[in-house]
Amino acid sequence: MMNVTLKVNGETRTASVPAETTLLKLLRESFNLTGAKLGCDVGDCGACTVIVDGLPVNSCLMLVNQADGREVLTIEGLASTDRLHPLQKVFEDFGSLQCGFCGPGIIMSAKALLDDNPSPTVPEIRDALGGNLCRCTGYAKMIEAILSAAGARETADKSA
Amino acid sequence: MRAFEVFAAKDSNHAVALLAQHTGVKVKVLAGGTDLLADLKFSPHSPDVIVDISRAQDLKDITLSEDGLSIGTLVTHSQIMRSPIIREMFPALVDAAHSIGAVQTRNLGTLGGNLVTGVPSMDSGPTLIALDAQVTIAGPSGRHQVPLHEFFLGPRKTILKHDELLAEIVIPKQNLGKPADFLKFGLRKGQALSLVNVAACFWVDWERNTFVAPAIALGAVAPKIIRTPQAEAYLEGREITLEAMVEAGHIASTEARPITDFRASAEYRRHLVAILSRRALEHAYTLAKAKRPGEIKK
């Protein structure tokens, strides 16, 4: 067994788990954060995407030892009880998701993109979502939503 | 995944010591983990011990030295894409890094990790091989360098011994800034494996407008990444024209030894080699002209 301590959504969490545990399994089974999903389990589908030290990664491809001591942001860290995160709001407004399984991963990828590049072009958005598979929507409404969130952010910055 | 023990290495010496301590058991080195973890989940041959080098600080630098440009084995594909030195000297390496996986895997996956897989279609290899890159191998008896071209033995086989570590990749001094281009042909844009990938580079003798030290490297068309000695010999000293580039592409396609598999036929891959080699040469020339010292840019 291995003891790990990491910051998850701003809170310090610890766990004692077998060394072969992935970050995804740790989040879902030890911390009950089931937003990140187990999809392909080999890093192709992006359903498990979380942000580690500011970068989006496949949590299914990270062993707990790699995540030890680091800062992890999951979909559960975005909304407060009374308010959705702006990206979640635009995804709702645009009807960007259907079944929703890919949603947490897509939104975390979009958040990482906008944190790094506040006004992305459509090709940049497509590139940022290249590691997230969605089999329902065809992506068009997600891209519209992300563009809208970026626009809103720009407007907010200007008025600030 | 089957149970295993994980030992974390502080630096490369510690990693080599850990490898030496575990000679009787099956050991795997974890760098970024993107290939290793996917393998561990589905392979029946899981290791007993994992040496996690992901925090080895001395393997993470990109530095210019007297030897050339050194890229630590743990430098991720995303870091290559963002490195000011690499963007300035070798945009082809940036393109190659960008063509690997997706954002999430590029943030975890490392240059050294990609190379040690020994997969013939790997996208980080051809540009480095065209640029005569060397790799530094750290082992129990110290460090030694070999050309990257000789590092690969065949599909998924490298010269790396069980107690050795690929520590750094060095592009030699004489090739710093050499105009190069990398092209990949996959079945789609995102997360595609290369049907063929090609890197080409050369210097230009501006007085004569001829090719100097041309190199072409091909991926996914032989058991390992290959250079094309005949195409290179054809180009050396020849006047730079589109016809010469087309001909070099044809020669390169005869040097390729592709197979037919479910992704593409051998004939199709050979055709791609001719086209992509010519295009890579054209792009490298465009880059050479843009970088030409003293040239007034219009």
Side-chain angles (χ1 to χ4, degrees):
Chain A
M1 296 296 267
M2 173 155 204
N3 295 314
V4 288
T5 303
L6 55 165
K7 206 173 238 188
V8 183
N9 301 331
E11 224 179 288
T12 302
R13 309 284 297 257
T14 58
S16 182
V17 290
E20 65 272 17
T21 308
T22 61
L23 173 59
L24 178 64
K25 192 170 180 174
L26 178 78
L27 292 170
R28 292 180 60 87
E29 295 180 15
S30 298
F31 300 154
N32 289 323
L33 296 169
T34 54
K37 299 287 184 275
L38 177 71
C40 70
D41 209 13
V42 290
D44 288 330
C45 78
C48 67
T49 302
V50 299
I51 297 177
V52 176
D53 288 346
L55 298 174
V57 299
N58 303 107
S59 60
C60 78
L61 292 183
M62 256 186 135
L63 285 180
V64 282
N65 192 53
Q66 290 168 278
D68 190 24
R70 302 176 75 173
E71 243 176 79
V72 180
L73 183 67
T74 72
I75 189 78
E76 289 89 347
L78 296 193
S80 58
T81 40
D82 53 348
R83 206 173 66 94
L84 288 176
H85 183 274
L87 267 168
Q88 292 170 315
K89 182 77 176 69
V90 289
F91 268 59
E92 188 180 279
D93 293 346
F94 282 77
S96 301
L97 299 171
Q98 288 180 30
C99 88
F101 189 84
C102 70
I106 300 253
I107 289 173
M108 295 317 281
S109 285
K111 178 174 191 317
L113 168 70
L114 295 183
D115 287 348
D116 181 52
N117 177 2
S119 33
T121 61
V122 170
E124 284 168 344
I125 295 173
R126 286 177 170 275
D127 190 51
L129 298 187
N132 293 87
L133 299 187
C134 168
R135 298 295 83 178
C136 305
T137 66
Y139 307 98
K141 290 182 176 184
M142 295 174 182
I143 293 167
E144 285 171 29
I146 295 166
L147 278 173
S148 156
R153 188 184 284 215
E154 215 170 290
T155 320
D157 286 350
K158 273 174 198 157
S159 61
Chain B
M1 272 183 282
R2 222 192 70 190
F4 47 72
E5 274 189 285
V6 176
F7 296 90
K10 296 194 297 283
D11 55 33
S12 57
N13 289 337
H14 188 207
V16 170
L18 285 169
L19 289 174
Q21 278 167 30
H22 297 99
T23 44
V25 294
K26 196 158 190 301
V27 183
K28 282 282 186 184
V29 173
L30 173 83
T34 52
D35 275 304
L36 180 66
L37 261 80
D39 283 350
L40 290 182
K41 289 175 190 180
F42 296 100
S43 164
H45 317 286
S46 43
D48 306 296
V49 168
I50 293 223
V51 173
D52 177 2
I53 63 167
S54 63
R55 287 167 207 252
Q57 279 307 327
D58 62 330
L59 299 174
K60 297 188 174 185
D61 297 325
I62 300 172
T63 47
L64 267 178
S65 74
E66 284 174 13
D67 300 331
L69 178 69
S70 157
I71 306 173
T73 202
L74 291 181
V75 170
T76 65
H77 307 301
S78 297
Q79 286 164 346
I80 289 176
M81 287 169 64
R82 285 166 189 261
S83 158
I85 303 177
I86 295 178
R87 293 180 73 88
E88 165 67 27
M89 284 190 178
F90 301 113
L93 285 178
V94 175
D95 293 343
H98 195 175
S99 78
I100 295 170
V103 180
Q104 294 94 320
T105 35
R106 291 197 290 268
N107 282 336
L108 289 172
T110 64
L111 179 59
N114 195 229
L115 295 174
V116 299
T117 63
V119 173
S121 64
M122 71 169 67
D123 293 311
S124 59
T127 315
L128 293 169
I129 284 184
L131 291 165
D132 302 316
Q134 302 271 318
V135 288
T136 306
I137 294 171
S141 51
R143 287 166 187 249
H144 67 282
Q145 277 199 340
V146 295
L148 177 58
H149 194 201
E150 291 167 21
F151 179 74
F152 301 114
L153 296 174
R156 295 181 182 270
K157 286 199 175 64
T158 71
I159 61 169
L160 213 56
K161 298 197 184 80
H162 63 89
D163 56 355
E164 289 179 330
L165 196 70
L166 174 66
E168 76 175 332
I169 297 90
V170 182
I171 299 172
K173 197 166 95 179
Q174 71 271 17
N175 283 344
L176 293 184
K178 188 171 182 179
D181 190 52
F182 170 82
L183 292 173
K184 159 177 181 167
F185 193 93
L187 293 177
R188 55 181 185 277
K189 250 189 172 172
Q191 304 201 66
L193 285 185
S194 290
L195 294 187
V196 171
N197 55 25
V198 170
C201 64
F202 57 90
W203 295 107
V204 178
D205 177 339
W206 293 108
E207 301 259 303
R208 300 197 179 97
N209 196 42
T210 53
F211 291 96
V212 176
I216 298 173
L218 308 176
V221 292
K224 56 182 194 165
I225 298 165
I226 57 165
R227 285 277 290 263
T228 59
Q230 292 167 37
E232 293 171 17
Y234 169 83
L235 289 174
E236 182 69 62
R238 192 171 290 269
E239 191 184 353
I240 301 173
T241 60
L242 181 59
E243 291 70 32
M245 295 178 187
V246 171
E247 182 56 22
H250 281 302
I251 299 171
S253 74
T254 65
E255 293 179 84
R257 289 173 282 135
I259 54 163
T260 294
D261 65 9
F262 64 95
R263 289 198 181 86
S265 67
E267 295 93 313
Y268 186 50
R269 286 195 162 98
R270 222 181 266 284
H271 174 71
L272 286 171
V273 168
I275 304 295
L276 294 180
S277 299
R278 186 259 294 161
R279 282 189 195 158
L281 288 165
E282 280 186 89
H283 297 174
Y285 189 44
T286 304
L287 185 63
K289 285 189 281 193
K291 283 180 158 190
R292 185 178 175 183
E295 179 76 344
I296 299 150
K297 283 174 193 131
K298 288 174 189 163

